[in-house]
Amino acid sequence: MSKIRILDCTLRDGGYVNEWEFGKNAIQDIISKLIKSKVDIIECGFLTEKQYGKDFSLFNSTSALKEFINGNEKKGFFVLMLDIGDNDLNIDKLVDLKPQAISGIRLTFNPNNIDKTIKIAEKLKKMGYKIFLQPMKTLNYKDDELINLIKKVNRLKPYAFYIVDSFGAMYKNDLLRLFYLVENNLHEEIKIGFHSHNNLQLSFSLAQSLMNLKTKRDIIIDSSVFGMGRGAGNLATELITRYINDNIQNKYEITPLLNIYDEYLSSIFAKTPWGYSLPHFLSAAHNCHPNYSTYLLNKQTISVETINILLKELSEKDKSVYNKDLIENIYLKYQKHKIDDKKTRKYLSDNFKGKEILVLAPGETISSESSKIQKFIEKEKPIVISVNFSHNLCDYVFISNVQRFNKLKNSNQLQEPVIITSNIAQKTKENTYILNYEKLILDDYRVSDNAGLMLINFLIDVGVKNITLGGFDGFNINREKNYFDKKLISNIESEELIKKTASVKEFLDKFSKTVRLEYLTTSLYAESNKI
């Protein structure tokens, strides 16, 4: 009967969520608690040539891990992962001559790096390390390609060979087909590992299916506490260990795993959540890199249906490796509905010329500083334009976001004259003015179609000289503070919010060199409140 081993990869695969910055004390304590949980194998992070501080689960040598294990080398089976990319690796610099802090090294690689990986693995094995070979996107291998790889693996005889569900796209039949292909061709002494992602919510089910197979070969199953991992996340360590305790052998302590979540992961999850979502389901359905879905999701301008349409544009070759420029071009091409807007621009230019313009974004200060906005309107008598929301103080509503437009339209909130961009490409009534979307977008992918910036870009282009901004609060990582209307809260990643704020500020500063921009309400974009 096979022996089931659990490999916890919280500090490595979970690190994609927080860029591996857990903090030194947290890394030490998480390792300590994983030891107490009796998890069979603990993956402590990535082995990388880049230099990082001690607060990161990224190590530029195997010996750098020593102080994090705190003398517990004999109490656990510790491994690090090495990503075999296209760059040459200085193995002698990265790895001790013989195992000290860790027992094993996991090598992850793409099909174009197989021979390079085998050579590195041979050297590491001679040094005394247990080798885990992990072919990325195993589902994409043709049967003959996988068998040829296994032949090379058999000559090496590593500790384990993995089936890797990189994009969370496997169903039970996929796993069983690959398992039996590997089982029948892999040397009997080599363990079979399985690393899954939860895009289809099948990680737990697939793990159970694998454990129930009749095989004499030892099985290694990867998991992370609370399923921590990029996008849809991973199999949850606390779920699979509890299942083994209840159905196979009572061997794991669950409480230390729960403490890891309580003390360290819950706060990270609150800022940057992971787990099943429709966009990540779509990335699995199209068997493509999850970052494509994440990119489109973070736009917060298109529907899940549209995300599905855009992912279909990816070629089989492009699906495997994330290309930000490619998906940006696909997104913009979809959004660009070219029209001739000369008449509309002239009409709005004539109406706005020489007027004070107040632009209202939907930040929380629209509510908390409403009296300041009201007093300004009474005193200055500006033309008031709201951005992607409707307000009773407004003369116009500017909308470039299809999702917001549909919500406003369906709730009958579009009472004012409406200015929309051509990606929306429809009229609601006679006083709707359509602007060419392509003319308004900016050259930064994070904010290329940020509605507030697009509107300011248009106002400058038609000769407006004075623009006052209200509700331009900036993006807070606490999403509850980003909008005056909680229905507008989006599920964008915290890291992306921070970067987006920086990008918006950069453009506002640039605009301020050609037009007078004043901040009426408190804003992260302003050095000080100028009014």
Side-chain angles (χ1 to χ4, degrees):
M1 183 177 178
S2 66
K3 181 178 180 181
I4 307 297
R5 304 166 193 258
I6 298 300
L7 183 151
D8 184 272
C9 58
T10 306
L11 290 169
R12 199 273 308 169
D13 213 6
Y16 282 104
V17 175
N18 63 343
E19 295 190 336
W20 299 275
E21 192 174 4
F22 290 90
K24 180 181 178 181
N25 293 336
I27 295 171
Q28 290 175 326
D29 197 35
I30 288 171
I31 291 173
S32 177
K33 285 178 166 58
L34 288 172
I35 292 172
K36 291 176 183 177
S37 76
K38 300 180 182 178
V39 165
D40 303 277
I41 305 172
I42 300 171
E43 187 176 42
C44 301
F46 268 112
L47 187 59
T48 173
E49 289 186 313
K50 293 182 180 179
Q51 185 74 42
Y52 291 88
K54 292 186 178 181
D55 286 330
F56 296 82
S57 53
L58 299 166
F59 306 92
N60 63 352
S61 70
T62 53
S63 58
L65 185 63
K66 267 190 174 183
E67 61 181 295
F68 292 88
I69 295 176
N70 283 329
N72 290 316
E73 286 86 352
K74 295 182 180 181
K75 293 183 179 180
F77 185 158
F78 305 103
V79 299
L80 290 172
M81 177 172 279
L82 181 60
D83 185 356
I84 308 300
D86 295 327
N87 298 322
D88 291 331
L89 296 168
N90 188 337
I91 297 302
D92 294 330
K93 184 178 179 181
L94 283 167
V95 182
D96 294 336
L97 289 176
K98 55 174 116 176
Q100 296 181 42
I102 65 170
S103 301
I105 296 177
R106 307 222 288 169
L107 303 179
T108 181
F109 57 95
N110 287 309
N112 61 316
N113 285 318
I114 289 175
D115 292 337
K116 178 181 178 180
T117 301
I118 295 296
K119 287 182 181 179
I120 292 173
E122 288 173 345
K123 183 170 185 176
L124 293 172
K125 186 181 178 185
K126 288 179 181 178
M127 295 166 73
Y129 291 92
K130 291 181 172 63
I131 303 303
F132 299 64
L133 291 180
Q134 307 198 204
M136 298 292 289
K137 304 177 282 288
T138 314
L139 187 60
N140 290 358
Y141 280 76
K142 295 177 181 178
D143 287 1
D144 60 332
E145 292 174 336
L146 191 55
I147 290 172
N148 287 334
L149 170 59
I150 291 171
K151 288 178 181 178
K152 296 179 180 182
V153 171
N154 286 339
R155 290 194 288 270
L156 175 69
K157 288 186 183 179
Y159 181 78
F161 178 78
Y162 262 70
I163 297 169
V164 184
D165 188 11
S166 300
F167 301 150
M170 285 187 190
Y171 290 104
K172 181 179 178 180
N173 289 341
D174 296 315
L175 175 61
L176 295 183
R177 179 183 66 81
L178 287 170
F179 176 81
Y180 285 120
L181 183 63
V182 175
E183 166 84 339
N184 292 326
N185 290 278
L186 191 67
H187 191 282
E188 62 183 10
E189 294 178 7
I190 304 171
K191 299 167 179 59
I192 294 180
F194 179 54
H195 183 93
S196 66
H197 293 106
N198 207 28
N199 297 61
L200 301 176
Q201 289 195 319
L202 290 177
S203 286
F204 191 28
S205 174
L206 292 175
Q208 292 177 54
S209 298
L210 192 58
M211 288 188 292
N212 291 332
L213 295 177
K214 292 182 180 180
T215 176
K216 294 181 180 180
R217 193 188 300 272
D218 288 354
I219 303 295
I220 303 172
I221 296 176
D222 290 6
S223 63
S224 60
V225 178
F226 199 59
M228 185 181 184
R230 175 175 52 194
N234 305 309
L235 170 65
T237 303
E238 63 276 9
L239 290 183
I240 194 63
T241 50
R242 174 64 184 270
Y243 176 85
I244 292 172
N245 282 353
D246 290 346
N247 295 280
I248 300 176
Q249 179 186 0
N250 191 357
K251 58 184 289 193
Y252 299 109
E253 297 293 335
I254 308 300
T255 300
L257 303 174
L258 305 181
N259 290 336
I260 289 173
Y261 170 77
D262 273 343
E263 295 174 27
Y264 303 109
L265 306 191
S266 61
S267 59
I268 299 173
F269 182 78
K271 294 178 181 178
T272 310
W274 58 88
Y276 173 80
S277 70
L278 282 177
H280 293 125
F281 151 71
L282 290 175
S283 69
H286 290 281
N287 194 24
C288 67
H289 198 290
N291 281 2
Y292 285 121
S293 285
T294 299
Y295 169 87
L296 296 171
L297 177 64
N298 283 338
K299 281 292 185 182
Q300 293 294 315
T301 57
I302 53 178
S303 65
V304 174
E305 179 185 5
T306 301
I307 291 176
N308 187 39
I309 292 171
L310 297 184
L311 291 179
K312 289 180 181 179
E313 295 292 317
L314 296 168
S315 69
E316 289 302 316
K317 179 182 178 182
D318 292 324
K319 287 180 179 180
S320 296
V321 180
Y322 178 60
N323 185 328
K324 177 179 66 63
D325 292 334
L326 173 65
I327 194 64
E328 169 77 0
N329 288 334
I330 290 174
Y331 169 77
L332 291 177
K333 181 180 178 182
Y334 177 85
Q335 293 282 65
K336 290 175 181 177
H337 297 269
K338 294 183 180 180
I339 62 166
D340 185 351
D341 62 356
K342 291 179 181 177
K343 290 183 179 179
T344 300
R345 282 175 165 262
K346 186 177 188 313
Y347 174 82
L348 293 175
S349 176
D350 292 342
N351 275 268
F352 296 161
K353 184 179 293 185
K355 302 287 183 62
E356 178 72 35
I357 305 293
L358 172 60
V359 177
L360 297 180
E364 189 181 43
T365 55
I366 289 291
S367 175
S368 61
E369 300 183 29
S370 59
S371 60
K372 185 183 294 185
I373 295 171
Q374 185 68 51
K375 288 178 182 178
F376 179 83
I377 292 174
E378 291 173 358
K379 179 182 178 182
E380 302 296 337
K381 304 291 190 298
I383 292 177
V384 183
I385 309 173
S386 62
V387 180
N388 278 342
F389 76 103
S390 186
H391 197 285
N392 58 8
L393 296 175
C394 295
D395 301 297
Y396 295 87
V397 178
F398 175 84
I399 308 174
S400 64
N401 184 315
V402 176
Q403 288 181 306
R404 298 274 179 87
F405 175 83
N406 288 333
K407 288 178 181 178
L408 289 171
K409 180 184 176 184
N410 294 336
S411 60
N412 295 316
Q413 293 183 41
L414 290 177
Q415 304 300 319
E416 303 82 11
V418 179
I419 306 169
I420 63 174
T421 47
S422 57
N423 58 310
I424 298 173
Q426 55 183 297
K427 288 192 176 185
T428 56
K429 50 190 178 181
E430 289 301 318
N431 57 346
T432 297
Y433 306 98
I434 304 178
L435 295 173
N436 194 351
Y437 173 91
E438 186 176 5
K439 288 183 181 179
L440 304 180
I441 58 176
L442 307 159
D443 59 358
D444 182 324
Y445 78 94
R446 285 195 175 87
V447 293
S448 59
D449 58 351
N450 175 277
L453 294 180
M454 290 175 79
L455 175 57
I456 296 170
N457 196 18
F458 165 72
L459 293 173
I460 293 173
D461 196 39
V462 297
V464 172
K465 300 299 182 184
N466 300 306
I467 304 174
T468 302
L469 305 177
F472 278 71
D473 300 3
F475 298 101
N476 195 301
I477 59 173
N478 181 353
R479 293 171 182 80
E480 295 291 322
K481 295 183 177 181
N482 282 338
Y483 300 96
F484 80 95
D485 183 351
K486 303 310 176 189
K487 294 178 182 178
L488 299 176
I489 294 173
S490 58
N491 191 32
I492 191 171
E493 295 179 339
S494 297
E495 177 191 348
E496 194 66 18
L497 287 173
I498 294 170
K499 292 178 179 178
K500 186 167 286 193
T501 296
S503 293
V504 172
K505 185 181 188 310
E506 182 179 337
F507 273 100
L508 289 172
D509 291 344
K510 179 181 178 181
F511 288 152
S512 66
K513 295 178 180 179
T514 56
V515 68
R516 184 187 65 84
L517 280 182
E518 295 284 356
Y519 295 91
L520 177 60
T521 56
T522 305
S523 173
L524 294 174
Y525 305 130
E527 295 180 358
S528 62
N529 201 17
K530 297 181 181 179
I531 295 180

